[in-house]
Amino acid sequence: MSLTDTTQLSNGVHMPWVGLGVYKMDSGDEVVSAVRSALDLGYRHLDTASFYDNEEGVGQAIRESDLPREELFVTTKVWNDEQGYEETMKAFDRSLRKLGLDYLDLYLIHWPIEGSYKDTWKALEKLYKDGKVKAIGVSNFMTHHLDDLLQDAEVTPMVNQVEFHPELYQEEILDYCKQRDIQVEAWSPIGRGTYLDNPVLQELAEKYKKTPAQIILKWDLQHGIVTIPKSTRKVRQKENADVFDFELTADEMDKINSLDKNNRLGPHPDEMGK
């Protein structure tokens, strides 16, 4: 495997397994520099959001790279106060304009805002059917949100991007999505670096001559999860991409699974917007 290797979504669209997340990167030089260095290293998957307020910088870096548009996979998301059918259509146009793109590869509902996400999904279905976005999905949806959405949806989400790392091993949502051919994608895959000193991760890092962060990213991939680690530094971006030359055993995967503490670093989806 390599940075250009992809998973095939339920509609046949190919999505790179590893991407660059740009949460909390400044819209100016910081995000432009980070995206440029990632693209230089071979990354072809970029994940931003309306809420991040850096879509313009991502778009600038894409233009400066001179890479063919069809080689890139670009995701953005509709924020909570942009939800609802009409507002989502406007939000999509704003994001596309800021990015300077003709279409998106993936558009996500950022959070399941009660009373809004079904109308928001109708807008995403319309954008998808009109060919303005190659794939549509959700973010931070739990099984009960998906059950509710699927009651009325004409198109099943192709992706569910959730907080996922060893101390938040969301096995239920992973199994649910696999059964329905919804690709799971991990945000904050390294747990914001808060427990890289864990003895299990340290031991495996020593065995494979890797870092604890690389062990976690490999754990994601072996679970069939797309992963989007964030880094502004080229050396760390290169390190995050260097996870294709080793394989964790089933026993080692189980050991990492057992680190689960239901430890959320972000909000609980049921509490967002309340």
Side-chain angles (χ1 to χ4, degrees):
M1 287 182 69
S2 71
L3 275 175
T4 55
D5 278 0
T6 59
T7 178
Q8 185 169 302
L9 303 180
S10 60
N11 66 339
V13 167
H14 288 266
M15 179 182 191
W17 284 106
V18 178
L20 177 74
V22 299
Y23 179 50
K24 288 192 174 177
M25 290 189 197
D26 292 339
S27 187
D29 292 343
E30 184 177 50
V31 76
V32 173
S33 174
V35 172
R36 284 295 306 274
S37 68
L39 293 175
D40 288 346
L41 287 167
Y43 284 77
R44 293 297 179 262
H45 175 182
L46 305 171
D47 181 276
T48 185
S50 168
F51 179 70
Y52 301 170
D53 196 27
N54 57 20
E55 291 168 315
E56 287 170 321
V58 171
Q60 180 183 332
I62 289 171
R63 288 189 297 278
E64 290 177 0
S65 75
D66 288 330
L67 286 166
R69 173 67 182 91
E70 61 272 16
E71 286 188 15
L72 301 175
F73 190 96
V74 182
T75 302
T76 194
K77 313 174 191 80
V78 56
W79 185 240
N80 304 343
D81 62 5
E82 298 172 321
Q83 289 199 38
Y85 187 89
E86 293 298 336
E87 286 304 312
T88 297
M89 299 300 274
K90 293 174 187 173
F92 177 84
D93 287 340
R94 278 195 300 272
S95 286
L96 208 61
R97 187 168 62 250
K98 288 179 178 180
L99 286 161
L101 300 176
D102 296 325
Y103 67 90
L104 282 178
D105 297 279
L106 178 63
Y107 198 38
L108 303 177
I109 301 177
H110 208 145
W111 289 91
I113 300 303
E114 194 174 340
S116 299
Y117 63 75
K118 283 195 173 187
D119 287 337
T120 304
W121 187 250
K122 290 296 178 192
L124 265 63
E125 289 179 328
K126 170 68 172 166
L127 293 165
Y128 175 64
K129 289 172 183 176
D130 287 350
K132 294 182 178 180
V133 57
K134 302 285 188 183
I136 53 176
V138 296
S139 183
N140 301 300
F141 274 51
M142 302 181 77
T143 57
H144 63 91
H145 299 121
L146 287 165
D147 280 338
D148 183 45
L149 186 71
L150 290 171
Q151 284 180 3
D152 307 304
E154 295 176 26
V155 179
T156 297
M158 290 126 200
V159 173
N160 185 15
Q161 184 185 119
V162 297
E163 182 181 351
F164 197 102
H165 48 84
E167 286 194 357
L168 188 65
Y169 173 43
Q170 299 202 66
E171 190 172 15
E172 180 189 9
I173 193 70
L174 181 59
D175 290 345
Y176 179 103
C177 288
K178 282 184 175 179
Q179 289 166 15
R180 290 158 182 80
D181 205 10
I182 300 170
Q183 176 64 52
V184 174
E185 180 178 17
W187 64 260
S188 196
I190 304 170
R192 296 179 185 163
T194 54
Y195 54 90
L196 295 179
D197 58 351
N198 180 279
V200 170
L201 299 174
Q202 290 281 342
E203 180 185 332
L204 291 171
E206 189 173 337
K207 174 184 174 181
Y208 289 105
K209 304 293 187 288
K210 295 290 180 181
T211 66
Q214 288 170 317
I215 296 297
I216 293 175
L217 295 175
K218 187 64 176 185
W219 174 77
D220 271 348
L221 296 173
Q222 287 186 220
H223 270 305
I225 294 171
V226 170
T227 188
I228 47 168
K230 171 210 167 183
S231 181
T232 57
R233 295 170 53 215
K234 191 165 190 172
V235 64
R236 187 59 54 80
Q237 292 173 351
K238 187 174 183 180
E239 185 180 282
N240 290 341
D242 186 20
V243 291
F244 301 111
D245 58 352
F246 72 104
E247 195 85 5
L248 298 166
T249 68
D251 180 56
E252 290 164 348
M253 290 290 288
D254 287 342
K255 281 184 179 178
I256 301 173
N257 294 348
S258 70
L259 299 180
D260 180 40
K261 295 180 178 178
N262 197 30
N263 176 28
R264 286 187 184 276
L265 300 172
H268 192 289
D270 285 333
E271 296 167 4
M272 178 56 87
K274 299 268 177 91

